[in-house]
């Protein structure tokens, strides 16, 4: 039979259009005034290459031993030129080393080619997501004119996350470049180019890893016939110490609904047997992207929200690569012939444009307006039937799971339309929704689970830590005014029996006593 596509349609099956609009209004009813300025969080800082002692308030369990590694933007200008977008700042690496209840801190700038070129000339030489590098004024007029017609060089400014491949520590962004780094000293080691190993032009900064170390990722490829989405598989072992991505292969390629305007994606989901790619309504206009430098615009100008585009779930068997046919997924697992796909969703995809530096540095009414115009993000579950055949009836809700309000309707031979259920109660609206979700990953990734954690958003950045209990959809909250936590990391206790027996680690910063740059999106590698 042909591949089965599982779609999330704007045509609501279980709600009238008026009811759906009321629900959207509820999701975005939290209007706030008098928000605290976070401009000090978006400023350049100096690196701290030698470890320094920190003051510990309270007690850190002695069984926590290791390093919490983070990365994020740490420098926002060179000379008199400044970046336009939060994603553009030069990558800074942070290490919080925890041992015997004490913590030391160190940080270093990633010695990327972008950082070194910019530093040598004291100007922006390499284009980033929202900032285009202007022609060198030292060139004559003719050379400056010709440089406008050059393709934008992919940046190696790996500021998004720490990742592991074959046991080694890397920092990554959303281009074809990564850097291997020393997790102890934070020194930059060798640059790795995905294109030298497999036919992809980029890879996400959020891979998934199986217990044996096998790693899955996704990356686009671009050719004369348009774009392809590719599922990537990297083996767990290396044959010699110098190996990086040797043995990587493309498991499966998926054709976009529109080859000239593929969907943007930041991550993907994975269950025990499937990789789940979400082709969403945030689109990339490839013509605008390739002509960005000519037009003097950043790559971000080519990314836009298309509300007419349905969201499509592509299920790929990890063992065979066969395709069965939105920023962060929570978890995915299979049970009783269904695949539960839990993720953080918004009803509008224009949030990327909110994180311009000028917005993050606003204050007063302008800051309030920037926040109140944002769509909130909420955790939702889709229940995808795995055994759809030609004999499966149409017009019948295929989700037979008790106590689940999600629906799945077969509408054609190769099409199943899915409607979500909320993974939260009414009280989550008060905290501005939830993003940057984390679970007890080592024990419950790809398995049925009960708890997940994230940041609440009563500001442009996370301002609280939340714990959701799926039994009753109850929320617990950590909040202190003026403190802004990063993505939580769950560390299980050594002898844990219960799923939530452990601690949460989060880097918390404040605009009034800034000593460490916060990380909008980063990951703990090991403890």
């Amino acid at each position: 039979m042909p591949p089965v596509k599982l779609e999330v349609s704007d045509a609501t099956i279980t709600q009238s259009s008026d009811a759906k609009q009321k629900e959207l209004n509820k999701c975005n009813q939290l209007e706030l005034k008098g928000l605290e300025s976070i401009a000090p969080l978006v400023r350049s800082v100096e690196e701290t290459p030698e470890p320094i002692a920190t003051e510990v308030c309270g007690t850190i369990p002695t069984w926590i031993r290791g390093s919490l590694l983070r990365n994020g933007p740490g420098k926002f200008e060179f000379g008199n030129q400044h970046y336009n977008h939060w994603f553009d700042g030069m990558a800074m690496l942070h290490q919080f080393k925890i041992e015997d209840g004490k913590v030391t801190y160190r940080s270093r700038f990633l010695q990327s080619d972008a950082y070194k070129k910019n530093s040598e000339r004291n100007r922006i030489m390499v284009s980033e997501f929202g900032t285009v590098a202007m022609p060198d004024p030292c060139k004559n007029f003719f050379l400056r004119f010709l440089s406008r017609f050059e393709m934008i060089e992919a940046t190696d400014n790996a500021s998004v996350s720490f990742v592991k491949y074959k046991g080694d520590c890397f920092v990554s962004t959303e281009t074809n470049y990564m850097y291997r780094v020393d997790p102890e000293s934070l020194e930059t080691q060798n640059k790795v180019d995905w294109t030298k190993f497999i036919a992809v032009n980029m890879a996400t900064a959020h891979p998934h890893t199986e217990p044996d170390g096998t790693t899955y990722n996704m990356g686009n490829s671009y050719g004369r016939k348009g774009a392809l989405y590719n599922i990537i598989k990297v083996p767990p072992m290396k044959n010699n110490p110098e190996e990086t991505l040797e043995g990587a292969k493309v498991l499966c390629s998926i054709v976009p609904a529109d080859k000239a305007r593929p969907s943007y994606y930041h991550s993907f989901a994975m269950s025990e047997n499937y990789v789940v790619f979400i082709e969403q309504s945030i689109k990339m206009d490839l013509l605008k992207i390739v002509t960005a430098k000519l037009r003097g615009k950043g790559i971000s100008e080519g990314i836009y929200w298309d509300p007419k585009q349905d969201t499509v779930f592509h299920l790929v068997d990890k063992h065979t690569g066969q395709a069965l046919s939105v920023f962060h997924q929570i978890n995915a697992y299979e049970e009783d012939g269904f695949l539960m796909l839990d993720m953080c969703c918004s009803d509008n995809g224009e949030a990327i444009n909110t994180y311009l530096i000028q917005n993050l540095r606003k204050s007063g009414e302008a800051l309030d307006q920037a926040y109140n115009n944002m769509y909130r993000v909420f955790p939702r579950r889709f229940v995808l039937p795995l055994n759809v055949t030609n004999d499966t009836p149409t017009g019948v809700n295929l989700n037979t799971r008790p106590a689940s309000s999600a629906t799945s309707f077969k509408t054609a031979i190769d099409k199943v339309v899915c409607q979500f259920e909320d993974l939260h109660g009414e009280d989550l609206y008060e905290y501005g929704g939830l993003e940057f979700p984390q679970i007890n990953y080592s024990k419950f990734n790809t398995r049925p689970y009960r708890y997940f954690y994230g940041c609440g958003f009563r500001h442009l950045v996370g301002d609280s830590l939340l714990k959701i209990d799926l039994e009753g959809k109850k929320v617990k909250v950590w909040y202190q005014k003026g403190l802004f936590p990063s993505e939580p990391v769950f560390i299980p206790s050594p002898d844990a029996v219960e799923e939530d027996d452990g601690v949460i680690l989060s880097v918390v910063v404040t605009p009034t006593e800034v000593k460490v740059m916060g990380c909008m999106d980063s990951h703990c590698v090991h403890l």
Side-chain angles (χ1 to χ4, degrees), residues 60-61 63-64 453 489-493 500-505 527:
I60 298 176
W63 53 262
I64 299 180
Y453 311 84
V489 176
F490 181 84
I491 309 299
S493 300
D500 62 341
D501 184 359
V503 300
I504 287 292
L505 298 183
L527 278 164

Side-chain angles (χ1 to χ4, degrees), residues 38 354-355 359-360 367 370-371 374 457-462 520:
I38 55 172
T354 301
Y355 290 96
N359 286 337
L360 295 173
L367 176 60
Y371 173 79
M374 286 178 61
F457 274 76
R458 288 181 293 193
H459 209 299
L460 293 181
V461 297
M520 282 290 291

Side-chain angles (χ1 to χ4, degrees), residues 8 10 257-258 263 279-281 283 306-312:
V8 184
D10 288 334
D258 183 344
S263 291
E279 188 173 14
Q280 61 179 340
S281 302
K283 310 292 286 183
D306 181 7
K308 297 179 181 178
Q309 171 71 49
D310 285 337
T311 299
V312 180

Side-chain angles (χ1 to χ4, degrees), residues 51-97:
I52 59 174
T54 64
E55 181 181 349
V56 176
C57 299
T59 303
I60 298 176
T62 56
W63 53 262
I64 299 180
R65 302 173 65 90
S67 296
L68 175 65
L69 304 177
R70 299 280 188 174
N71 60 337
K75 185 173 178 61
F76 295 94
E77 66 283 315
F78 286 91
N80 61 1
Q81 297 182 349
H82 61 83
Y83 291 113
N84 298 323
H85 200 282
W86 175 252
F87 298 169
D88 298 345
M90 291 291 96
M92 176 172 271
L93 315 182
H94 308 269
Q95 179 202 72
F96 298 85
K97 193 165 187 177

Side-chain angles (χ1 to χ4, degrees), residues 307-376:
K308 297 179 181 178
Q309 171 71 49
D310 285 337
T311 299
V312 180
F313 299 126
H314 298 270
L315 275 63
V316 176
D317 190 303
K318 292 194 296 187
H319 310 292
T320 66
Q322 181 182 6
L324 306 178
S325 314
V326 253
F327 264 104
H328 297 105
Q329 286 74 45
I330 304 170
N331 198 7
Y333 64 92
E334 302 157 40
E335 192 173 69
D336 301 329
F338 295 93
L339 188 146
M340 269 54 69
L341 177 58
D342 299 347
M343 55 191 181
C344 293
C345 305
S346 172
D347 295 302
N348 184 284
E350 297 179 355
I352 290 177
N353 297 323
T354 301
Y355 290 96
L356 296 171
I357 297 296
Q358 63 187 25
N359 286 337
L360 295 173
R361 289 177 174 168
K362 286 179 177 177
S363 61
E365 292 184 4
L367 176 60
D368 297 345
Q369 183 178 4
Y371 173 79
N372 291 325
N373 286 338
M374 286 178 61
Y375 272 65
R376 314 292 181 255

Side-chain angles (χ1 to χ4, degrees), residues 27-312:
C27 290
N28 295 280
Q29 67 182 359
L30 183 68
E31 291 198 5
L32 300 179
K33 294 183 179 180
L35 290 174
E36 178 182 5
S37 171
I38 55 172
L41 301 183
V42 194
R43 69 177 186 184
S44 298
V45 294
E46 298 296 326
E47 61 183 5
T48 308
E50 297 302 321
I52 59 174
T54 64
E55 181 181 349
V56 176
C57 299
T59 303
I60 298 176
T62 56
W63 53 262
I64 299 180
R65 302 173 65 90
S67 296
L68 175 65
L69 304 177
R70 299 280 188 174
N71 60 337
K75 185 173 178 61
F76 295 94
E77 66 283 315
F78 286 91
N80 61 1
Q81 297 182 349
H82 61 83
Y83 291 113
N84 298 323
H85 200 282
W86 175 252
F87 298 169
D88 298 345
M90 291 291 96
M92 176 172 271
L93 315 182
H94 308 269
Q95 179 202 72
F96 298 85
K97 193 165 187 177
I98 307 171
E99 189 171 6
D100 297 329
K102 299 178 181 179
V103 182
T104 59
Y105 169 78
R106 77 162 86 204
S107 64
R108 290 181 184 269
F109 279 109
L110 178 70
Q111 297 299 303
S112 64
D113 289 342
Y115 179 80
K116 290 188 285 189
K117 289 178 182 178
N118 296 339
S119 298
E120 288 169 2
R121 301 296 295 272
N122 199 29
R123 62 186 301 271
I124 296 174
M125 299 291 294
V126 179
S127 296
E128 299 293 339
F129 177 74
T131 306
V132 62
M134 301 308 293
D136 189 341
C138 295
K139 294 180 179 179
N140 63 40
F141 173 80
F142 181 67
L143 291 177
R144 291 201 303 272
F145 174 74
L146 288 181
S147 69
R148 287 281 194 174
F149 294 88
E150 298 173 352
M151 285 282 291
I152 288 182
E153 178 187 1
T155 182
D156 61 350
N157 178 38
S159 63
V160 179
S161 68
F162 276 88
V163 297
K164 268 191 173 182
Y165 291 100
K166 299 184 179 182
D168 286 336
C169 183
F170 296 84
V171 285
S172 179
T173 182
E174 294 185 333
T175 69
N176 54 301
Y177 295 120
M178 298 190 302
Y179 274 92
R180 184 156 49 182
V181 298
D182 184 335
E184 289 299 319
S185 66
L186 298 186
E187 292 181 350
T188 303
Q189 296 179 333
N190 53 309
K191 181 176 178 178
V192 179
D193 182 352
W194 278 96
T195 66
K196 304 297 183 183
F197 301 92
I198 51 175
V200 298
N201 296 95
M202 54 79 68
T204 82
H206 293 292
H208 279 289
T209 304
E210 294 193 320
D212 70 348
T214 300
T215 306
Y216 292 86
N217 206 337
M218 288 200 60
N220 282 4
S221 58
Y222 305 103
R224 290 180 299 173
K225 296 183 179 180
L228 290 174
Y229 310 121
N230 301 286
I231 311 294
I232 304 165
K233 183 177 181 180
V234 181
M237 306 297 291
K238 51 186 178 180
N239 296 316
N240 63 73
E242 301 304 316
E243 275 195 11
T244 54
L245 298 175
E246 282 82 356
K249 65 179 182 180
V250 172
L251 182 65
C252 174
S253 296
I254 301 168
V255 179
D258 183 344
K259 291 184 177 182
R261 295 175 176 83
S263 291
Y264 168 80
Y265 55 94
H266 182 71
S267 59
F268 62 100
M270 187 177 79
S271 69
E272 181 181 1
N273 294 299
Y274 297 95
V275 171
V276 187
F277 167 58
I278 299 96
E279 188 173 14
Q280 61 179 340
S281 302
I282 304 177
K283 310 292 286 183
M284 297 188 296
D285 188 321
L286 297 185
L287 180 59
K288 283 188 176 182
I289 290 174
V290 299
T291 61
K293 190 169 185 179
L294 175 63
R295 296 180 295 108
K297 302 291 185 180
I299 293 173
S300 59
E301 294 285 330
I303 297 178
Y304 65 101
W305 170 249
D306 181 7
K308 297 179 181 178
Q309 171 71 49
D310 285 337
T311 299
V312 180

Side-chain angles (χ1 to χ4, degrees), residues 8 313 330-335 338-345 378-384 399 401-408 418-424 439 447-452 468-471 473:
V8 184
F313 299 126
I330 304 170
N331 198 7
Y333 64 92
E334 302 157 40
E335 192 173 69
F338 295 93
L339 188 146
M340 269 54 69
L341 177 58
D342 299 347
M343 55 191 181
C344 293
C345 305
F378 292 91
R380 295 169 176 173
R381 170 171 293 176
F382 294 86
V383 179
L384 315 181
N399 178 19
R401 294 177 61 81
S404 173
S405 60
T407 61
S408 301
C418 302
Q419 185 70 25
F420 64 84
E421 64 175 298
D422 290 322
L423 292 182
H424 63 90
I439 62 171
R447 300 173 184 174
Y449 70 111
R450 178 176 172 179
Y451 303 100
F452 64 94
I468 301 288
D469 183 349
L470 291 175
E471 290 190 10
K473 300 179 180 178

